[in-house]
Amino acid sequence: QSIYRFRGADVSVFEQVHSRILDARGQDVALSRSFRTHSALVECFNHLFRHILVKDPASPVADYEVELGDDMQAERSASPSNAPPLEFLLISKEALADDDDQADNRRRWEAYEIAKRLREIKDDEQRLVYDKREQIHRPIGYGDMAILFQSTSNITLYEDVFKAVGLPFVTVAGRGY
């Protein structure tokens, strides 16, 4: 839902439509089964979102809050690798001042750390992925990775860093993935 939030979607509309469907059918329709994601990653999502996606009816913004509801279930039980299913790269905001030039420097630093981590995953760890088309586990390639940005206004900074460190990339413009 965060993907839709930064595209201007209004969570209260989702809630209104959900209520109408529930009233019309008399039962809830759960969309809690993932056919793409393995159970270790789904368990991480469930743990995090149980704490983030909560609704307080007494809150003045209750119409804009979303509850997790039922935990997501994974169709695939096994992960293709032993790697942690979720990682955070933490960049210290305090390390640089808070003006526009420094904000660009923080983005470049972030881009460098992302590029470094992606290269480690591919070259050093040789993390395995499941290739659905070939129906085999194989080492990850750069084409298996994606970076989603909230906006593309600063994407050229990331592209410049990726070029400088020799990280291959393709930028997809527009609304597609």
Side-chain angles (χ1 to χ4, degrees):
Q1 290 186 2
S2 65
I3 290 171
Y4 298 111
R5 182 182 64 89
F6 70 73
R7 290 200 165 171
D10 182 344
V11 173
S12 65
V13 173
F14 290 109
E15 288 296 322
Q16 292 167 14
V17 171
H18 177 259
S19 295
R20 286 186 198 145
I21 292 171
L22 184 59
D23 289 345
R25 295 187 48 153
Q27 59 184 345
D28 204 353
V29 177
L31 301 176
S32 58
R33 187 147 201 86
S34 171
F35 293 93
R36 294 182 176 165
T37 310
H38 55 80
S39 60
L41 183 56
V42 167
E43 288 170 16
C44 284
F45 290 154
N46 287 335
H47 177 77
L48 287 172
F49 292 140
R50 260 186 239 116
H51 300 285
I52 296 170
L53 297 177
V54 294
K55 190 167 189 165
D56 178 4
S59 169
V61 293
D63 288 344
Y64 300 95
E65 294 177 331
V66 177
E67 271 186 316
L68 174 61
D70 295 334
D71 280 356
M72 184 185 292
Q73 302 297 315
E75 182 70 19
R76 294 174 36 208
S77 59
S79 172
S81 82
N82 295 342
L86 187 63
E87 293 182 33
F88 292 95
L89 295 177
L90 302 176
I91 307 292
S92 172
K93 284 182 129 180
E94 289 76 34
L96 298 168
D98 214 15
D99 60 35
D100 287 341
D101 289 339
Q102 295 301 342
D104 285 352
N105 287 338
R106 276 197 302 274
R107 286 186 186 94
R108 284 186 182 89
W109 183 15
E110 178 183 59
Y112 173 76
E113 292 297 331
I114 291 170
K116 186 171 80 170
R117 184 64 187 125
L118 294 178
R119 179 165 281 133
E120 288 169 356
I121 289 170
K122 181 189 173 294
D123 294 342
D124 299 342
E125 295 176 21
Q126 298 181 357
R127 190 175 294 183
L128 295 178
V129 295
Y130 182 71
D131 187 318
K132 187 175 179 179
R133 185 178 49 210
E134 300 293 324
Q135 296 187 343
I136 60 168
H137 287 90
R138 61 167 174 74
I140 195 168
Y142 289 118
D144 298 310
M145 303 176 191
I147 302 171
L148 302 178
F149 291 91
Q150 184 171 356
S151 74
T152 57
S153 57
N154 295 297
I155 201 163
T156 55
L157 295 172
Y158 294 83
E159 292 171 332
D160 291 345
V161 171
F162 292 171
K163 283 179 197 171
V165 299
L167 188 79
F169 66 91
V170 174
T171 302
V172 179
R175 296 185 170 228
Y177 296 106

